[in-house]
Amino acid sequence: MLDIRWLRTHRDEAIDRLSRRFTDTSQAQELIDRILTLDEQRRHLQQEVDALRARQNTLSRRLGELRRSGNAQQAEALLTELQQLKTTLREKEKALEAVQADWHNALATIPNCPHESVPPGTDESANQVIETWGSLPEPPVRLPHWEIAQKHGLIHFRWGAKLAGSGFYVLTGWGARLQRALIQFFLDEAVRTGYVEVSPPHLVNADTGFGTGQLPDKDRQMYYIEEDELYLIPTAEVPVTNLFRECILQEEDLPIRMVSYTPCYRREAGSWGQLTRGLNRVHQFDKVEIVHIVHPDESYAELERMCTYVHGLLEKLELPHRRVLLCGGELGFASAKTYDMEVYAVGQDRWLEVSSISNFEAFQARRMNLRVRTGKHYYHPHTLNGSALALARLMAALIENNYTPEGIRLPSVLHPYVGQEILPFEIPLPAWTQN
RNA sequence: GGAGGGGUGGCAGAGUGGACGAAUGCGGUGGACUUGAAAUCCAUUGGUCCGCGAUGAGCGGGCUCGCGGGUUCGAAUCCCGCCCCCUCCGCCA
């Protein structure tokens, strides 16, 4: 949620920054001018209603006094006046209520203003590759992970489809073992770095979905359980950030740095095709997420620190990767600035997004009503989060880049976690796994 | 799922239709006393929206006693629905 008071005095700046998300300024201008108009109306009606209520309060109190002093005649006259006042008040209140609803709805559906360093643009082509690490392997054979994994019993795609439908998969044998090792490795790294580990519910209510900005924006992208009015989390960001919804923190509580492993559930409505084969786009994947809450002056330095941390993980995994600055149109609804970390997957000859690191500034804190107290004053802290890291695609890259006829070679950092230096192919799974 | 009890300010805890934004205690802040501290005394102490004011201090008004609706001139208080917590029963990893 943007700050309405800031919008009142910074209309042009807001339009300028918001325009980075669109093809031209007109869309941003419409959004901003609509909320400013509604805000005018709202404040005007509020004043009228407040005045009527003040009068009602005064007269009601007087009526009580008259009754007590036994002045029945004057009391009757006052009662008639108050009954009329009540009618007009109800009409005004209704009008105010309607405008307030529009006002809230309009404000809640405006995306965050991109930071000034965010390039304008509406699609991938406007993204900027900031930095690339590692050299791209050039193996004699390039195989996509779904072929390798299927043939050698790491992943069973048909089973996934059978159990839940397309876009689901079942890990088997060494595939399942690799995933478990990666989760453990990422959590250990984070805890060693000083993060506090959090393991939250995978189902959340609508207030929680609203707090981080998934609702109402991403309504159709989340799985919804109607009977209990609960959403399956699309990322740990949602429950972990919302731990602080409706909270007042002390300044010494900051910075808060949390890490959380959860599965992520995403409907991915409308996505299909060659680019979504195998593990590239699935309805459920595992992810270790880091969530930070920091002082507003610190948030952009913190964003860089998070990127450095994620880069460190990828380096330990010996994967070629690059950092991409997203353009305005590619930003998520709540984000002011986002870097993606992409890993090169040689079998597909493609860069796969394995981490998305964002600064939401005060956008989420405002939605959640999260504040920090300093003496008599309050401010909204900045929230950030990033994947560290997302597993399905990372496994895809590990499998493709480290494929040998004997098995999948593992980076040394994973050896203790897997108990192997290689995911060997010569130990076959039982025949029934081919069902 | 069933039965019962409960949800009031930072905390504890009164309040069952009007003088209640809310007694009292604790805590916090400022001050007096003191070399300093403790004790004591005095004052002050929630959030939010709107207006005036300089985006400050301050002043005025509205809303806020789990949440939403209703009754009433007037609701913390009465009625209805929902949520959460506790106890017992049932079910269950």
Side-chain angles (χ1 to χ4, degrees):
Chain A
M1 198 139 60
L2 295 175
D3 183 354
I4 186 66
R5 275 180 255 207
W6 181 79
L7 284 176
R8 280 177 206 150
T9 49
H10 296 77
R11 172 184 173 272
D12 294 344
E13 186 187 338
I15 291 170
D16 177 61
R17 280 174 58 185
L18 207 52
S19 297
R20 289 163 203 262
R21 287 177 176 270
F22 308 115
T23 45
D24 60 88
T25 56
S26 68
Q27 211 169 333
Q29 192 172 324
E30 269 171 44
L31 284 172
I32 298 300
D33 284 342
R34 174 164 161 70
I35 185 62
L36 288 178
T37 309
L38 285 167
D39 190 50
E40 282 289 321
Q41 293 175 10
R42 178 184 135 264
R43 284 193 289 167
H44 183 72
L45 277 167
Q46 170 113 44
Q47 284 172 46
E48 291 188 72
V49 167
D50 282 359
L52 285 171
R53 279 178 182 161
R55 188 166 155 74
Q56 184 186 54
N57 288 342
T58 315
L59 295 186
S60 284
R61 225 167 291 138
R62 192 175 304 160
L63 177 62
E65 286 161 17
L66 288 174
R67 287 244 169 104
R68 241 168 291 123
S69 62
N71 200 332
Q73 205 175 6
Q74 279 188 39
E76 273 316 296
L78 194 52
L79 180 60
T80 319
E81 187 181 346
L82 271 163
Q83 280 165 339
Q84 283 167 359
L85 182 63
K86 190 178 177 178
T87 317
T88 48
L89 181 58
R90 289 220 164 151
E91 282 168 24
K92 281 283 175 210
E93 278 176 334
K94 244 184 178 172
L96 175 63
E97 215 170 286
V99 171
Q100 268 172 343
D102 288 348
W103 178 90
H104 184 262
N105 189 47
L107 193 58
T109 50
I110 300 174
N112 201 358
C113 284
H115 186 258
E116 54 186 9
S117 61
V118 171
T122 54
D123 60 53
E124 222 182 317
S125 62
N127 294 346
Q128 295 173 2
V129 176
I130 303 290
E131 217 171 346
T132 305
W133 296 272
S135 52
L136 307 191
E138 288 180 27
V141 256
R142 291 171 185 261
L143 286 175
H145 64 273
W146 54 88
E147 283 184 23
I148 301 167
Q150 210 149 260
K151 183 171 169 196
H152 298 288
L154 303 174
I155 309 172
H156 207 312
F157 288 101
R158 201 158 31 81
W159 273 358
K162 175 182 183 172
L163 296 179
S166 122
F168 293 91
Y169 59 98
V170 174
L171 296 173
T172 48
W174 290 115
R177 180 68 176 267
L178 175 61
Q179 164 141 308
R180 186 154 54 83
L182 284 166
I183 293 165
Q184 190 72 20
F185 167 64
F186 292 142
L187 284 173
D188 284 354
E189 284 289 304
V191 169
R192 202 175 301 140
T193 309
Y195 285 92
V196 175
E197 186 174 346
V198 171
S199 181
H202 300 175
L203 291 143
V204 295
N205 59 29
D207 284 345
T208 300
F210 181 86
T212 29
Q214 279 71 25
L215 290 176
D217 183 59
K218 289 270 183 312
D219 194 14
R220 304 168 322 278
Q221 289 300 329
M222 286 192 289
Y223 288 103
Y224 179 59
I225 295 161
E226 197 162 353
E227 192 168 5
D228 299 295
E229 297 180 47
L230 292 170
Y231 296 84
L232 270 85
I233 55 169
T235 157
E237 162 198 353
V238 177
V240 173
T241 313
N242 272 281
L243 291 174
F244 298 92
R245 178 155 48 82
E246 305 288 347
C247 271
I248 298 175
L249 296 171
Q250 303 302 310
E251 200 148 44
E252 54 267 30
D253 293 333
L254 302 184
I256 290 173
R257 301 192 179 102
M258 296 169 289
V259 64
S260 183
Y261 153 70
T262 68
C264 302
Y265 306 93
R266 301 186 181 181
R267 293 190 61 231
E268 301 291 359
S271 320
W272 70 89
Q274 189 65 29
L275 296 182
T276 66
R277 279 198 73 173
L279 295 179
N280 290 350
R281 173 159 279 137
V282 288
H283 290 304
Q284 179 187 327
F285 60 94
D286 284 10
K287 179 160 64 62
V288 173
E289 181 83 358
I290 50 178
V291 175
H292 295 212
I293 301 174
V294 303
H295 189 279
D297 296 342
E298 278 293 306
S299 67
Y300 279 96
E302 192 80 357
L303 183 66
E304 297 301 317
R305 280 193 280 271
M306 292 169 85
C307 289
T308 304
Y309 176 73
V310 173
H311 155 67
L313 294 177
L314 290 168
E315 205 156 56
K316 286 178 183 169
L317 292 172
E318 299 166 27
L319 290 166
H321 58 285
R322 65 183 189 183
R323 173 153 78 132
V324 178
L325 172 61
L326 296 193
C327 71
E330 292 262 292
L331 285 181
F333 176 76
S335 176
K337 184 172 184 174
T338 297
Y339 291 107
D340 276 0
M341 283 291 185
E342 298 182 340
V343 158
Y344 181 73
V346 68
Q348 302 176 71
D349 189 25
R350 282 185 64 203
W351 293 91
L352 300 178
E353 178 196 333
V354 293
S355 179
S356 192
I357 305 156
S358 302
N359 184 358
F360 303 92
E361 298 188 354
F363 193 84
Q364 293 181 328
R366 238 176 262 120
R367 287 185 153 242
M368 291 192 297
N369 197 21
L370 162 62
R371 287 163 297 168
V372 175
R373 179 183 207 137
T374 47
K376 280 188 84 175
H377 295 278
Y378 298 86
Y379 63 86
H380 295 289
H382 285 191
T383 60
L384 306 94
N385 67 54
S387 337
L389 286 154
L391 286 209
R393 288 181 193 154
L394 196 79
M395 297 236 300
L398 276 171
I399 290 169
E400 291 179 19
N401 293 7
N402 299 317
Y403 170 68
T404 70
E406 295 75 43
I408 310 294
R409 283 183 297 103
L410 294 174
S412 56
V413 77
L414 288 181
H415 295 174
Y417 287 98
V418 183
Q420 297 271 129
E421 295 187 6
I422 191 166
L423 304 183
F425 292 156
E426 78 271 18
I427 311 170
L429 291 177
W432 54 260
T433 58
Q434 295 306 309
N435 285 344

